[in-house]
Amino acid sequence: MTIDEGGNVDRPVNRELRFLAQLSLHHDGPEHRAVEELQLKDAHYTLEHLRAFGMFNHLQLDPWYQDSVLFVDSRGRVLSLSVTLDTALGKPKEVFSFGSESGRAEDRLCASISLTSATWAALSDGAGRLLLLRTGRRGDGGHCRWEVLFSHHMGEPFTILHSVCHVQDGRHSVELLLLRVQKEPLESTGSGYSVSLEWVTVGGAAGPGQERKYEVRKRRVLRGKSVPHYAAVAPRGEGLMLAAEKPFVFTHIDGRPVEPPPPRSAPVPDPLYFWQQTAADLTVCVRLPGGVAKEDVSFRLTADSLSVGVRGGAPLLEGRLYASVDPEASAWTIRDSNSLEVSLQKLGEGPMWPELVLGNRRGELVLSDQQVALIHDRLTHLTSEDPVRSSAMFRKSSWRADVELGGRDEPLQQVNLGGHQFLFSVDVDPSQMPCLCLRHDVDALVWQPRPDRPGDLWEHVATFNALGYVQASKRDRKFSTCAPDFSFAALCECLRRVFLYRQPSPVETVLFNRKQGRQVGQVAKQQVSSLDSDTAVLGFRASNERLFVLTSSRLFVLKVDKK
């Protein structure tokens, strides 16, 4: 469906989004589920269990060879499927099998795959065993079974969030990030569970003749109270990047407890002034030292600047105003001998000021009840109409990104991401950390972490116009992603429907906005596809030209033509 700025609607064009292939994955008849959807047990009742395991994406796209996807079937086999022609999907190829032992554990989780490099992969059997395998060049087209070079039981079951490989001290090393939700027996409040992230370094053994032997070099455990929205290891293993609603702290390194860092005692300075505004005027209250008389005040006001202080001392508030005021209609007075109240008349009624003095962050804007209600009304159209769902959407008001670098046991950088809702992460360049997509007002902005540039850690690489607004209305949305070249974004519901949102493109005919009467040069197309399936979607990935949708019994491939 195409919707322009004037509300004109065109129906989807089949040649632009079409089924490339539909592959049945049944082993022993339609009643047998080829991909097992692991049901959460009664003990897994928390929201963190749902986020970590209930929303697990069973499908893995190979970022080095984007025509290939992988998943683990109900028999514990790792299957690889490739698009062989533009209109055909190859048969599933078994590249590895866990065997039957891993499926017997009662507390097991979904098996997980992490493609570490173009020739390496990390696997979890869902029962606590970690494997590193040499895959060969997966995109060569040959059928090559993966070779196990490392297998170790890591304790409680886990899923693999991320992995990278690099060369350290002349030896090949693999960094892995493992996720667990664990019971806290001594906790008397809250859910009784905590979230554990284990950062594991596996490297080649030292000594002659040990090139094919790998061992665990280091294990570091972090704990928090929420499943991270984003967690990744830096490309050279020099640190982690986490984005979560609640902080994580190191608790153990190689089995030894870590002393908690002392609390940072840097006090937050009190505001030097408070200010309110209407469309026509502003009121500023500046804190003064005790016992200051009117004749001791130094006050200077022009149409564009303000200076307030005490004679003989440095100005308390000084700088260029955000916009012009009328000095003749403004006044000041001392109240309670410790504050100076300034009334400023705006030169003309207009938009509200975002700040009083340009670049000054020592003041606090005080909103009236009417202004708070007005802001709330203006924001309601950005969220779902369901009030409970809207509350959950904006609950992430204090989530942040922590960067652990340089082997330290505390965050080197912390960034408060405020109300920018996390939408999804995506592998764009396999040599870099995954990108993360955040909601900014009605839009969705994609950011590329740059750990090698501490002063400029986040690079804005793409924008999807109105995607933040659109995804809020998709109440059954399960997975979100985008093409690595940012040509489109895609959402998938729990059952059947897939939504595609293309970047704006020039129109071939003359098109006018009926409301504004101006010609429209670009339109962004939305397309909807309904899958021929009544089972839950378990996996969803996107390449530059295709969408892959996995259910318990079928794999759907949709071709996205570039027009």
Side-chain angles (χ1 to χ4, degrees):
M1 180 170 58
T2 304
I3 306 176
D4 64 32
E5 301 174 28
N8 299 311
V9 178
D10 290 332
R11 294 297 178 185
V13 181
N14 293 332
R15 60 184 172 84
E16 295 181 345
L17 179 64
R18 54 189 170 87
F19 285 108
L20 186 153
Q22 175 182 320
L23 181 66
S24 177
L25 303 175
H26 293 305
H27 294 315
D28 304 315
E31 71 282 354
H32 183 82
R33 290 176 176 265
V35 183
E36 183 178 10
E37 181 182 8
L38 194 66
Q39 300 294 329
L40 295 179
K41 300 177 177 60
D42 292 340
H44 301 162
Y45 56 84
T46 69
L47 178 61
E48 307 315 319
H49 284 97
L50 177 62
R51 286 178 171 174
F53 312 124
M55 302 293 288
F56 181 75
N57 195 333
H58 291 68
L59 192 61
Q60 179 69 49
L61 178 74
D62 195 331
W64 284 270
Y65 311 102
Q66 289 189 11
D67 288 333
S68 299
V69 291
L70 303 99
F71 66 92
V72 181
D73 71 357
S74 57
R75 294 180 177 180
R77 303 184 304 173
V78 179
L79 300 181
S80 173
L81 296 97
S82 300
V83 178
T84 55
L85 299 172
D86 191 45
T87 58
L89 189 66
K91 294 182 178 180
K93 296 179 180 179
E94 178 184 334
V95 295
F96 181 76
S97 176
F98 289 112
S100 58
E101 295 183 0
S102 62
R104 297 175 182 173
E106 293 184 359
D107 59 344
R108 69 185 183 93
L109 304 173
C110 297
S112 54
I113 308 172
S114 178
L115 299 176
T116 304
S117 72
T119 56
W120 281 75
L123 299 180
S124 164
D125 66 351
R129 186 159 59 112
L130 174 66
L131 301 98
L132 297 182
L133 304 98
R134 181 176 291 167
T135 66
R137 294 200 171 273
R138 300 181 294 272
D140 289 348
H143 179 56
C144 178
R145 286 188 63 85
W146 296 357
E147 178 187 8
V148 178
L149 295 183
F150 173 84
S151 177
H152 185 74
H153 195 276
M154 304 295 292
E156 294 185 31
F158 60 87
T159 58
I160 305 175
L161 292 183
H162 188 238
S163 65
V164 297
C165 66
H166 60 99
V167 177
Q168 182 178 7
D169 301 328
R171 290 184 290 175
H172 181 255
S173 298
V174 179
E175 309 285 346
L176 304 109
L177 202 54
L178 315 181
L179 171 68
R180 298 180 177 94
V181 179
Q182 297 176 310
K183 185 72 175 178
E184 290 284 358
L186 301 180
E187 184 177 289
S188 58
T189 60
S191 67
Y193 285 88
S194 66
V195 179
S196 168
L197 293 177
E198 185 172 9
W199 177 10
V200 182
T201 301
V202 178
Q210 305 292 312
E211 293 83 3
R212 296 175 63 85
K213 294 185 177 180
Y214 283 77
E215 60 187 8
V216 176
R217 289 188 191 170
K218 198 165 187 177
R219 300 178 68 169
R220 292 139 291 193
V221 178
L222 301 90
R223 286 192 181 274
K225 298 300 291 185
S226 64
V227 172
H229 297 285
Y230 176 95
V233 187
R236 294 187 297 275
E238 68 271 28
L240 303 179
M241 181 173 292
L242 308 176
E245 295 178 24
K246 298 178 182 178
F248 278 79
V249 295
F250 281 97
T251 60
H252 293 79
I253 295 181
D254 291 331
R256 300 186 301 272
V258 174
E259 292 292 332
R264 300 182 180 182
S265 58
V268 178
D270 294 331
L272 287 179
Y273 62 94
F274 299 87
W275 62 292
Q276 285 185 310
Q277 64 174 319
T278 66
D281 54 37
L282 307 101
T283 301
V284 185
C285 291
V286 184
R287 300 173 60 183
L288 297 175
V292 174
K294 186 174 182 179
E295 55 271 13
D296 299 326
V297 173
S298 173
F299 180 87
R300 186 175 70 255
L301 175 66
T302 68
D304 301 313
S305 65
L306 171 67
S307 176
V308 178
V310 178
R311 297 186 188 278
L316 300 173
L317 174 61
E318 183 179 40
R320 184 178 181 83
L321 295 171
Y322 176 79
S324 300
V325 298
D326 183 359
E328 299 298 328
S330 303
W332 63 272
T333 184
I334 291 183
R335 292 188 178 275
D336 303 327
S337 74
N338 60 359
S339 67
L340 183 142
E341 182 177 298
V342 184
S343 298
L344 301 176
Q345 186 72 28
K346 294 181 180 179
L347 199 59
E349 292 191 12
M352 306 297 274
W353 293 12
E355 57 184 338
L356 178 68
V357 176
L358 296 177
N360 190 299
R361 299 293 185 266
R362 296 298 306 276
E364 180 178 318
L365 174 63
V366 179
L367 297 176
S368 65
D369 294 341
Q370 294 82 358
Q371 290 171 331
V372 172
L374 179 61
I375 292 175
H376 181 271
D377 291 341
R378 290 178 176 176
L379 290 178
T380 52
H381 75 283
L382 302 181
T383 64
S384 164
E385 294 179 358
D386 185 348
V388 176
R389 191 172 183 86
S390 300
S391 175
M393 187 172 300
F394 286 97
R395 188 168 56 84
K396 307 178 181 66
S397 59
S398 61
W399 77 295
R400 65 184 190 177
D402 292 351
V403 184
E404 326 271 353
L405 295 173
R408 302 177 57 169
D409 58 0
E410 62 181 49
L412 193 64
Q413 293 190 28
Q414 293 184 357
V415 181
N416 188 345
L417 299 178
H420 300 299
Q421 182 190 7
F422 177 86
L423 300 181
F424 60 85
S425 62
V426 61
D427 286 304
V428 172
D429 181 354
S431 66
Q432 299 291 332
M433 301 181 75
C435 293
L436 66 162
C437 183
L438 306 178
R439 176 176 175 175
H440 290 249
D441 197 5
V442 299
D443 299 327
L445 273 61
V446 182
W447 301 88
Q448 174 67 67
R450 301 291 187 188
D452 55 337
R453 301 188 304 205
D456 187 18
L457 192 61
W458 310 88
E459 180 184 356
H460 173 223
V461 293
T463 298
F464 293 103
N465 297 324
L467 183 63
Y469 168 76
V470 168
Q471 63 85 32
S473 66
K474 299 296 181 284
R475 304 178 60 177
D476 295 326
R477 176 177 59 95
K478 186 173 184 179
F479 298 116
S480 304
T481 188
C482 73
D485 63 359
F486 310 120
S487 57
F488 64 86
L491 310 179
C492 184
E493 294 185 338
C494 299
L495 288 171
R496 195 171 289 120
R497 290 199 300 177
V498 175
F499 299 87
L500 184 85
Y501 303 93
R502 296 176 181 269
Q503 292 283 20
S505 59
V507 294
E508 299 178 355
T509 59
V510 178
L511 185 66
F512 284 88
N513 185 307
R514 290 195 294 260
K515 293 182 179 179
Q516 300 180 3
R518 61 181 180 84
Q519 185 173 348
V520 176
Q522 291 184 325
V523 295
K525 296 181 179 180
Q526 169 190 331
Q527 294 165 293
V528 183
S529 178
S530 184
L531 307 178
D532 183 18
S533 172
D534 57 358
T535 56
V537 173
L538 301 181
F540 185 58
R541 300 290 181 180
S543 67
N544 288 334
E545 296 182 352
R546 297 173 181 89
L547 288 172
F548 300 86
V549 188
L550 180 69
T551 69
S552 61
S553 58
R554 295 178 183 179
L555 175 67
F556 296 89
V557 184
L558 284 72
K559 182 68 164 59
V560 182
D561 290 338
K562 298 298 182 69
K563 297 295 181 180

